[in-house]
Amino acid sequence: MREGVLYGVSVGPGDPELLTLKAVRVIREADVVAVPDCGGKRQMAYAIAFEYLVGKQVLDCQTHMTGNRVAANESYTRIADDICALLDEGKSVAYLSLGDVSIYSTFAYVQRIVRERGYETEIIPGVASFCAAAARLGEPLCEGSECLVVAPPFSPYIDQVLELPATKVFMKSGRQLNVLRDTLGKRGELEHASMVANCGLPDERVYPRFADAEAPAGYFAVVIAKKTDGQK
């Protein structure tokens, strides 16, 4: 029997209408849909694609959102084991991922293990959360020769990121909200920063002025600090 294919399917930031036609097709055609399972319950990716999951075999992938790399890697290996068993049966698997699967996605770790074992994998691109946030704000991310930098605020390279003369996107900013706001304020960049939390979801919050953002903002908060004329 021919081995199946593992697809990393981007489902966008929250609004089901932002699913691409290709993502919908792959989900519909897949034999099994793998869904990230954090904290013992199916999460946002399942809800976004729910319309296309009726009658589908669903594989719950328990993922440990932890700083403990050993525990995290063990969970990725278990997920890969389950997926490879399905691929050996000739079944195709669509692994759902929020936003775009190539940007800070747990799928990357699972894909690496599966691919190293000799199986075929494919990535289906989608709408990234910061692109949806910029659209919600009605503002471009960058123009002309301007640069765009994307980073989580807890990155060990955050000081270098802040020094760059570029528009900066800070993903997964909820837990660092107050620290990030204070940091941008000290640098004189706060008045040029905006935030969108839970973009495309029922509890979406939009703050054209990041200075007005209320804490806590939750994990899925995107802060956009536009390049200013004063930056070198």
Side-chain angles (χ1 to χ4, degrees), residues 160-179:
Q160 294 94 316
V161 169
L162 290 166
E163 291 295 329
L164 294 171
T167 291
K168 305 171 186 76
V169 171
F170 301 99
M171 298 182 65
K172 305 178 181 180
S173 297
R175 296 175 184 172
Q176 303 288 326
L177 190 70
N178 291 327
V179 173

Side-chain angles (χ1 to χ4, degrees), residues 114-188:
V114 172
R115 190 162 52 189
E116 287 175 351
R117 294 179 182 180
Y119 298 90
E120 182 181 353
T121 68
E122 183 177 336
I123 287 177
I124 309 301
V127 178
S129 61
F130 58 87
C131 293
R136 188 68 181 83
L137 291 163
E139 296 287 344
L141 283 169
C142 44
E143 302 175 63
S145 61
E146 294 176 353
C147 296
L148 177 68
V149 179
V150 181
F154 49 83
S155 167
Y157 307 105
I158 194 65
D159 291 337
Q160 294 94 316
V161 169
L162 290 166
E163 291 295 329
L164 294 171
T167 291
K168 305 171 186 76
V169 171
F170 301 99
M171 298 182 65
K172 305 178 181 180
S173 297
R175 296 175 184 172
Q176 303 288 326
L177 190 70
N178 291 327
V179 173
L180 181 58
R181 182 159 42 201
D182 290 344
T183 299
L184 293 176
K186 292 175 182 177
R187 296 179 55 83

Side-chain angles (χ1 to χ4, degrees), residues 36-51:
D37 181 355
C38 306
K41 60 181 180 180
R42 291 171 179 168
Q43 297 290 302
M44 289 165 49
Y46 179 87
I48 292 169
F50 180 76
E51 178 182 350

Side-chain angles (χ1 to χ4, degrees), residues 52-206:
Y52 311 105
L53 301 181
V54 177
K56 286 287 184 183
Q57 179 182 345
V58 175
L59 172 67
D60 288 306
C61 301
Q62 187 174 358
T63 306
H64 291 285
M65 304 300 289
T66 173
N68 185 328
R69 296 311 305 171
V70 173
N73 289 334
E74 287 177 350
S75 71
Y76 301 144
T77 299
R78 285 195 296 271
I79 293 169
D81 289 342
D82 291 339
I83 290 174
C84 288
L86 293 167
L87 299 179
D88 284 339
E89 295 175 9
K91 295 181 178 180
S92 59
V93 179
Y95 185 107
L96 306 188
S97 182
L98 287 172
D100 183 279
V101 73
S102 63
I103 303 172
Y104 299 124
S105 169
T106 57
F107 175 77
Y109 305 104
V110 176
Q111 180 197 29
R112 187 173 298 120
I113 297 170
V114 172
R115 190 162 52 189
E116 287 175 351
R117 294 179 182 180
Y119 298 90
E120 182 181 353
T121 68
E122 183 177 336
I123 287 177
I124 309 301
V127 178
S129 61
F130 58 87
C131 293
R136 188 68 181 83
L137 291 163
E139 296 287 344
L141 283 169
C142 44
E143 302 175 63
S145 61
E146 294 176 353
C147 296
L148 177 68
V149 179
V150 181
F154 49 83
S155 167
Y157 307 105
I158 194 65
D159 291 337
Q160 294 94 316
V161 169
L162 290 166
E163 291 295 329
L164 294 171
T167 291
K168 305 171 186 76
V169 171
F170 301 99
M171 298 182 65
K172 305 178 181 180
S173 297
R175 296 175 184 172
Q176 303 288 326
L177 190 70
N178 291 327
V179 173
L180 181 58
R181 182 159 42 201
D182 290 344
T183 299
L184 293 176
K186 292 175 182 177
R187 296 179 55 83
E189 298 181 44
L190 185 58
E191 290 305 310
H192 300 276
S194 306
M195 187 186 87
V196 179
N198 300 329
C199 188
L201 297 171
D203 58 346
E204 174 187 87
R205 288 186 287 166
V206 180

